[in-house]
């Protein structure tokens, strides 16, 4: 729920993103990863399921959203 919330907030600001966490289908995870790695989507909002430290990227922002 937090990833989706953050992704929606980013969209309101005009930033395209995809979500990535353990509860989405594998095909959606692969799509998010491919879009991000090919610079088609600038942001992936993810949990640790994304594999922090496994992929090279410019920035990682880790946060906890309190509702």
């Amino acid at each position: 729920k937090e990833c989706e919330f953050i992704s929606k907030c980013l969209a309101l600001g005009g930033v395209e993103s995809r979500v990535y966490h353990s509860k989405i289908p594998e095909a959606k995870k692969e799509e998010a990863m491919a879009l991000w790695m090919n610079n088609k989507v600038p942001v992936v909002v993810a949990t640790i399921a994304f594999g922090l430290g496994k992929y090279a990227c410019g920035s990682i922002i880790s946060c906890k959203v309190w509702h």
Side-chain angles (χ1 to χ4, degrees):
K1 293 179 183 180
E2 292 174 351
C3 289
E4 284 80 1
F5 174 77
I6 293 170
S7 184
K8 287 177 184 177
C9 289
L10 289 169
L12 289 172
V15 178
E16 185 180 1
S17 67
R18 295 291 187 276
V19 297
Y20 189 109
H21 54 75
S22 64
K23 294 183 181 175
I24 63 172
E26 195 63 34
K28 288 286 188 185
K29 291 179 193 176
E30 291 173 8
E31 176 188 39
M33 178 68 71
L35 289 170
W36 178 74
M37 292 198 64
N38 290 305
N39 296 315
K40 303 292 184 188
V41 166
V43 176
V44 173
V45 181
T47 63
I48 196 70
F50 191 64
L52 291 176
K54 188 174 181 182
Y55 303 100
C57 64
S59 300
I60 296 173
I61 300 172
S62 179
C63 65
K64 174 72 177 165
V65 177
W66 299 98
H67 301 262

